[in-house]
Structures are given as structure tokens and as C-alpha cells.
Amino acid sequence: MCPVLICLSLYIFAAWVHGDPRKVVYPTDSYGQFCGQKDTINENKTSLFYFNILKCASPIVLINLQCPTTQLCVSKCPDRFATYIDMQGSYRHNKSYWEYYRQFCKPGFNKPWKSVAQVIRDEDCPSMIIPSRPFLKRCFPDFSTKNGILTVANQTTFKDGRGKTRNVTDLREAAKSRDAHVCFPYVHVISCLSSGLFIAMVVSLLFLVLLRFTAGVLFWIFILGVIGIIGYGVWHCYWEYDHLQGTPGSDLTIYDIGFQTDFRVYLQLRQTWLAFMIILCIVEVFIILMLIFLRNRIRIAIALLQEGSRAIGYIMSTLFYPIITFVLIAICISYWAVTAVFLSTSGEPVYKVMANQTLCKYANLTCDPETFNTTNVTKLCVGAQCTFAFYGGEGFYHKYIFIFQLSNAFVFLWLVNFAIALGQCTLAGAFASYYWAFRKPADIPTCPLFSSFGRAIRYHTGSLAFGSLILAIVQLIRIMLEYLDHKLKGTQNSFTRFLLCCLKCCFWCLEKFIKFINRNAYIMIAIYGKNFCTSAKEAFFLLMRNVVRVAVLDKVTDFLLFLGKLLVAGGVGVLAFFFFTHRIPVFTQETPTLNYYWVPLLTVIIGSYLIAHGFFSVYAMCVDTLFLCFLEDLERHDGSAERPYYMSKSLLKILNKQNVEIKRH
């Protein structure tokens, strides 16, 4: 892997040498100059002002990634409605109007008597200014909502400086890609959100504790509920079948009426309900037979779930390990974002022709601002300007920027997968130390999580990196396939569409399979300390020898954890809904008044789900580790004095096994 790391480090070095993050920190005007940067002419002009922000709603923005209007650095955003026409009309008796307006015109322009048509054509001054506020160092309309109606400075309409009166919703369409016009009482709302997420954490912990005692009850309630619902479905189908007897046309077959777009027609046929009844009967019989023949394996799965809760109870520190994984992933994201910024900002400023005329053949072509006025472009395309577009170049480095960005994405995937792998191996080592403790909890080592983390870092870094590398390669191929699919949409033929669809499906399945193999390989690495390939092979064949048990445990665990996530996210979401809608009398005074309560509500629900997922991922890793240890225990031991079982008494009882001449204290 050393050559791979050396090659990848080269693009990182190139990015940090050629990149300039100031191009992202400071907005850039139409002349390629930074706004607000120290020791420049725009040092005191910190905000970027758009001459005509309505043009930002143009589809050209999606092509050039630049709003097709003059952009100017200003010291402050405008705080009033005004138009160039009104300014010119009052210029003779009110010079202060012009003095205020001119700060939003091009530097050096001092011809307030110039005709409006020529000013708009040459974009010497904006045709209008509107009350704005700085957002991300850019001047955006100062939106507010009054009685559910969008306004700017308490007005719903404005003059566009071209003789028309327009609605402020036009401004919202132009600014919505960057402007967040809904303002919340941030501190209060954030504190409320924090409280909701804290409640989610507490509920997650309580659910894991209760799962130790209620895993079997929850599972059997679910199974009986499914059997009951399907049974009702069978009865309802029979009732409909019998009820339609004698109804004209109900004895026709599906073949007789052919294909119908209105599927309600089929519900008027007795044959349809008979088919539904037969299908549901088959499903019902299948579930009952599965329960009968797999009852012992289901009991083992439930016992392992309860054993997992018991293991977490003894090693409570494992519940907080996801915080470490979160921090590591946050570092990976920060690294990727910073490197991507350096890559995207490397190069010289590139200028393009921005023309008001849609038929200008020079539009979007590169140009030189110093010699632009001497060319014929301004004559052939009246009002055309040479405007800054982006940073780039024609050199060797700039031609392969896309390859460097792809390499950056690959390193990001590799690092994230490594952070996840480190967490899985660490947790597996801690829970394996619990299982292989003959007398629990007396034989559990001190600080099992910390010891397992040290072993993973010291001895297993190479194996974890190799497993993460394989997964990252597959994920990168999937990203490239999605990119190709997006680029070829509308131009691909049926065969190409089919081929891409097959490739995407195959690599999706391959990614899922590799994740499954990696997860179990990391468990075997934590238990025996062998390399990745050996551990993956042993884990795979061990699971294949017990494939039915694997399937049953996987489905039982998935159901209970899904139920827990749904309970946590749904419960906290309902509580947040009643809180933000002032339906809890005790907290009416403390509840902030919001125009759109669904934003914090969705934040609470998503955050609660992620917190529950973090806690339950530990639980899932615990169960998977105990399951592999259980299978190893069955194959390596026979209950004799020399080779006693390490499993719990409940598992021994389910399997009708016991340890001969061994007593546990």
C-alpha cells in the first residue's frame, strides 16, 4: 500500500501548493478582486453587491457557476428601495440621493445625467437597489415574513428600475440558492434542539436496558401480530369473494378483461380476491412452518440479544465510543473539504464574455479584461462585458484537476472506512473479552475498551487499512458509475442504459457483501489477531457452516433495532411537535415563536435517529461479536473439563449442553 500512499500524497502536495483558500473565504467581484481582504483596495469593502440580482435566477448560473450581472465590492449593503430613474429625476434638487446611490455604481463613474438606457446597457450603475443584509459576505434581499406573507422592508412589491413593478417573490427565486431568509431566535432554538437530542440519548439508553428483559416478548408480539394481520387478510378476502357471488360481471376472469389502467376494476372480480386469499394462506402457512422448524434458532437469537444487553451493561463505556468515531469522521470530512477547496481554487482568474443579448456569438467565450474594450465584441454585442467567471488554467496541473478531485474523494472514502473499521475492531475486542471470560464479570479484564483500542492501533492497523482500501475502491467505482449515468442521461441508448443499470446493481451488491465480510473479518482479527485475508476467510466459512442461524439472528436483530430507532425518533419527534406548536401548557412561555416549526422539528427527528443509530450500532456490533464467539465456542469446545463452553447458562440450556465437572461461581 506504500506506493498508493506515495502517489496520493503527491496530489495533496500539489493542491496545497497551487491552491488559495482566500478565493473561498472572500467573495470575488467582476474584476477578480477579493472583497474585504487586507492590504487591497477593497479592504474596507467587505460585501459583494449584485447589480441585478434577478439575473441570478437565470439558467446561465448553472452553466457558468456565476451570476450573469456585474458584481461590485461595497462597504455596506443598501438599506432602502431606490431606482436610477428616481435618482435622476430628483438629482437637480437633491444631490444627496446621488451621493448615496453612486456608492453602488462602478468606481469612478460620475455621470448622473447619462441616459438610463445607456447606464443599464453599459451596467455603469444598477437599475435599482433594494434593502439588503450581508449573508456569507454577499448582499441579499432582507426578507421577512409578516402574517405569512413574504416582504422586503414591509413591502410586497418593488420597482425594477425598468418601468415595471414586481413582486418580492421574484427576488426570493433569485436568492433562494444562497439566502436563508427565515430567521429563528437561534440561541433559544438551539437550546431546545439540544434538549431534544439529549432526551433521544436517554431514551436510547433506556431501550437498550429494557431490551435485555423484553427482547423475547417484543419479538413474539411482533410475530403474533403479523400472523394475526395475515389471518384477518385471509378472512377479508374470503368475505369479499363470498360477497361478490351473484354480482353481474364478477365471475369474469382477469384474462377476459385484459389489462386495465384502473386497477379498481380487478377488485370487482371474484377471481382477484380468490388469488389474494390463496397467496395470503401460503404466506401464513410458510411463516407458521418457519416458526415451528426454526424455533430453537429463534430462541438462540433472542438469548444472544439478551446476552448483548448484559455485555453492554458490564462495559458501559462502549456506548460512548461512537463519539470517537464521529470525531474521526469529522476530521476526515474536514481534511477532504479543505483539500477540495485548495484544488478548486488553484489557478489564475478566468474571464468570460457576459452579454445581455441571447444571440451574441461571443457569449461565454474567454476574454482579457485589459484589452476587451479594444475588440469588436462590444460593438457586435452591445452591453457585453468581460466578467470574472472562475479560477482555472490551461497548464498540465489544471488539465488534471478532475483526476485530483477524484483522488481526493478516494482518500476521503478510505479514511472514513478506516475510522469505521477501527471502531468495529475496537468494540469487537471489548465484547470478545466479555464472552471469553469464563466467570462473568469476575474474569472480564480491566478497561476492556481501552485495551482493545490499543491492540487495534498497535497490531491491526495494516489489516484495517487493507479492508478499508478494498471497500473504498468499490465505492469509488460506484460513484464513477453514478457520474457516468448522470452525464449520459438523454443521450444513451437502451443497451447503454441496461448495461449501466446492471453494473450499478452488481457493484451495489458487491459493496454490501464486502461490508458484511469486512465486519466479520474485523471481529476475527480482534479475537485471534490474524491478518485480514485469513480472518476474512475463517469468518466467511464459519458463517456459511451456520447460514440458517446467521439469517435468523440477522432478521431478529434488524427488527428489534429498527423498532428501537423508530421508537426513539418517533417519540422525540412527537414530543418536539407538541413543544414547538405550544401544545404543552407547562412550557408555553419557554417555547420560541416560529414561522416554520418544521425546520427544528425535522432537525430533532433526524438528530434523534442518528443518535439512536449510534447507540444501536454498538449493540449490533456486540450481538455480531457474541454470535461469532458463540459459533467458535461450539466448534472448539465440547463441555469437558479440558475444553469447557464459555457461553452463558441460558444458551447452554437452549442447546441442551452442559460443562462436565465444571462449576461456575
Side-chain angles (χ1 to χ4, degrees):
M1 287 187 295
C2 290
V4 178
L5 293 174
I6 293 173
C7 293
L8 292 175
S9 63
L10 292 177
Y11 92 85
I12 298 173
F13 175 77
W16 286 67
V17 168
H18 293 278
D20 187 357
R22 295 178 306 170
K23 299 170 185 176
V24 175
V25 175
Y26 301 102
T28 309
D29 63 12
S30 296
Y31 310 103
Q33 299 172 335
F34 299 124
C35 299
Q37 185 183 358
K38 292 184 178 180
D39 301 325
T40 64
I41 58 174
N42 291 328
E43 180 177 357
N44 297 322
K45 299 179 179 180
T46 57
S47 300
L48 186 68
F49 172 73
Y50 298 89
F51 267 34
N52 188 357
I53 196 172
L54 293 172
K55 290 186 177 181
C56 296
S58 170
I60 298 177
V61 178
L62 301 177
I63 301 174
N64 297 330
L65 300 178
Q66 189 76 358
C67 187
T69 186
T70 300
Q71 300 167 36
L72 192 70
C73 296
V74 295
S75 57
K76 62 179 181 179
C77 298
D79 58 4
R80 67 192 71 172
F81 283 105
T83 64
Y84 190 84
I85 296 176
D86 294 338
M87 180 280 302
Q88 200 171 53
S90 61
Y91 173 71
R92 293 183 178 179
H93 60 273
N94 188 5
K95 295 285 195 304
S96 61
Y97 200 147
W98 164 244
E99 293 300 324
Y100 178 81
Y101 203 94
R102 69 182 298 183
Q103 61 182 320
F104 303 106
C105 299
K106 287 182 178 179
F109 179 76
N110 193 19
K111 299 178 180 179
W113 55 84
K114 188 176 180 179
S115 69
V116 176
Q118 291 179 331
V119 168
I120 294 177
R121 182 198 65 189
D122 300 335
E123 293 206 359
D124 294 318
C125 288
S127 61
M128 63 173 180
I129 59 175
I130 57 177
S132 306
R133 56 183 172 85
F135 179 74
L136 298 178
K137 297 185 178 181
R138 291 163 175 83
C139 294
F140 286 102
D142 190 7
F143 292 110
S144 62
T145 304
K146 187 176 182 180
N147 297 326
I149 300 175
L150 187 68
T151 64
V152 174
N154 295 323
Q155 294 189 28
T156 58
T157 59
F158 67 97
K159 296 179 180 179
D160 66 355
R162 299 170 185 261
K164 294 182 180 180
T165 300
R166 306 181 65 166
N167 196 287
V168 296
T169 54
D170 296 335
L171 294 173
R172 180 181 61 184
E173 292 301 317
K176 66 180 181 180
S177 60
R178 295 177 181 175
D179 185 26
H181 60 272
V182 180
C183 297
F184 299 106
Y186 294 103
V187 177
H188 201 169
V189 172
I190 290 174
S191 64
C192 295
L193 295 179
S194 302
S195 301
L197 298 180
F198 177 77
I199 293 174
M201 183 182 69
V202 174
V203 174
S204 300
L205 288 171
L206 290 176
F207 185 84
L208 290 180
V209 173
L210 292 175
L211 205 58
R212 176 176 176 178
F213 307 101
T214 61
V217 176
L218 289 175
F219 177 78
W220 289 115
I221 288 176
F222 169 73
I223 289 297
L224 293 176
V226 170
I227 293 175
I229 292 172
I230 295 176
Y232 170 78
V234 172
W235 176 84
H236 183 79
C237 290
Y238 173 77
W239 184 86
E240 291 283 356
Y241 174 79
D242 184 67
H243 184 70
L244 288 173
Q245 186 176 4
T247 303
S250 62
D251 291 327
L252 293 173
T253 64
I254 297 176
Y255 178 79
D256 292 334
I257 65 173
F259 177 76
Q260 300 291 329
T261 56
D262 187 0
F263 291 99
R264 290 177 296 181
V265 174
Y266 297 106
L267 299 180
Q268 306 301 320
L269 304 178
R270 299 184 72 206
Q271 189 184 67
T272 302
W273 292 105
L274 179 63
F276 285 162
M277 183 173 64
I278 293 173
I279 293 172
L280 290 177
C281 286
I282 294 173
V283 173
E284 184 88 332
V285 172
F286 176 78
I287 292 177
I288 293 174
L289 290 177
M290 289 289 289
L291 290 175
I292 293 173
F293 289 105
L294 298 177
R295 61 186 184 278
N296 284 333
R297 289 179 172 84
I298 292 174
R299 291 173 62 197
I300 292 173
I302 294 173
L304 284 171
L305 289 171
Q306 293 171 330
E307 191 70 10
S309 298
R310 195 175 294 113
I312 291 176
Y314 288 127
I315 316 175
M316 288 293 292
S317 57
T318 55
L319 288 175
F320 301 98
Y321 185 85
I323 297 176
I324 298 177
T325 302
F326 172 78
V327 171
L328 293 176
I329 292 177
I331 294 173
C332 296
I333 294 174
S334 301
Y335 151 78
W336 167 79
V338 171
T339 306
V341 166
F342 272 90
L343 284 171
S344 61
T345 58
S346 57
E348 299 300 324
V350 175
Y351 299 86
K352 286 192 173 184
V353 177
M354 291 291 181
N356 294 325
Q357 300 177 12
T358 56
L359 299 179
C360 178
K361 64 179 182 179
Y362 296 101
N364 298 323
L365 296 180
T366 56
C367 57
D368 185 355
E370 295 183 359
T371 61
F372 181 73
N373 291 330
T374 61
T375 63
N376 293 329
V377 177
T378 54
K379 297 179 181 178
L380 297 176
C381 302
V382 179
Q385 297 187 37
C386 186
T387 305
F388 167 78
F390 54 84
Y391 290 96
E394 299 297 330
F396 174 82
Y397 171 79
H398 302 100
K399 289 181 179 179
Y400 294 94
I401 282 290
F402 177 76
I403 302 299
F404 292 145
Q405 289 284 21
L406 205 61
S407 301
N408 187 36
F410 172 70
V411 173
F412 168 71
L413 294 173
W414 192 1
L415 291 177
V416 168
N417 288 323
F418 178 81
I420 296 173
L422 178 62
Q424 292 177 341
C425 187
T426 299
L427 292 172
F431 293 126
S433 65
Y434 163 83
Y435 185 93
W436 298 115
F438 189 74
R439 294 177 301 171
K440 302 176 180 64
D443 292 343
I444 299 176
T446 306
C447 302
L449 182 67
F450 181 79
S451 301
S452 178
F453 182 78
R455 289 194 301 270
I457 291 292
R458 184 176 181 182
Y459 300 110
H460 309 318
T461 303
S463 295
L464 301 180
F466 183 69
S468 304
L469 176 64
I470 297 174
L471 182 58
I473 292 173
V474 174
Q475 290 174 336
L476 184 66
I477 294 174
R478 285 196 62 203
I479 292 175
M480 294 172 66
L481 288 175
E482 291 290 347
Y483 176 79
L484 286 175
D485 187 33
H486 177 73
K487 285 293 184 182
L488 296 176
K489 275 184 178 178
T491 60
Q492 56 192 356
N493 54 33
S494 300
F495 175 76
T496 307
R497 252 190 333 265
F498 174 76
L499 181 62
L500 271 177
C501 184
C502 290
L503 287 174
K504 287 163 61 177
C505 180
C506 290
F507 276 95
W508 180 85
C509 295
L510 180 61
E511 181 184 354
K512 294 296 182 183
F513 176 75
I514 291 177
K515 283 183 176 180
F516 174 77
I517 291 297
N518 283 7
R519 183 183 180 91
N520 291 283
Y522 299 148
I523 295 174
M524 298 298 283
I525 289 171
I527 297 173
Y528 296 109
K530 298 180 181 180
N531 61 52
F532 175 82
C533 294
T534 303
S535 298
K537 182 186 71 173
E538 293 181 354
F540 177 76
F541 287 111
L542 178 63
L543 294 173
M544 289 302 100
R545 290 194 296 269
N546 300 271
V547 64
V548 178
R549 285 174 175 167
V550 173
V552 172
L553 179 73
D554 185 59
K555 295 307 174 187
V556 173
T557 304
D558 286 347
F559 159 67
L560 291 177
L561 294 186
F562 171 75
L563 185 67
K565 293 175 186 178
L566 195 64
L567 175 66
V568 173
V572 176
V574 170
L575 183 64
F577 172 77
F578 282 104
F579 177 79
F580 287 117
T581 54
H582 300 267
R583 300 189 183 185
I584 303 179
V586 179
F587 299 104
T588 302
Q589 300 296 329
E590 289 78 11
T591 306
T593 301
L594 304 175
N595 294 320
Y596 302 99
Y597 62 82
W598 55 267
V599 174
L601 181 61
L602 287 178
T603 304
V604 169
I605 293 175
I606 295 173
S608 300
Y609 181 86
L610 293 177
I611 289 175
H613 178 75
F615 281 107
F616 293 163
S617 65
V618 174
Y619 186 83
M621 195 68 200
C622 176
V623 174
D624 288 347
T625 302
L626 296 181
F627 181 60
L628 276 182
C629 292
F630 166 74
L631 297 179
E632 284 283 295
D633 196 8
L634 282 177
E635 292 192 355
R636 293 177 178 270
H637 304 125
D638 56 9
S640 63
E642 294 78 16
R643 294 187 299 167
Y645 292 115
Y646 284 79
M647 67 185 71
S648 64
K649 291 182 179 180
S650 59
L651 287 171
L652 285 172
K653 184 178 179 180
I654 293 172
L655 296 171
N656 293 320
K657 296 180 181 294
Q658 60 181 355
N659 286 324
V660 180
E661 299 179 0
I662 296 291
K663 293 183 179 180
R664 300 190 183 187
H665 303 284

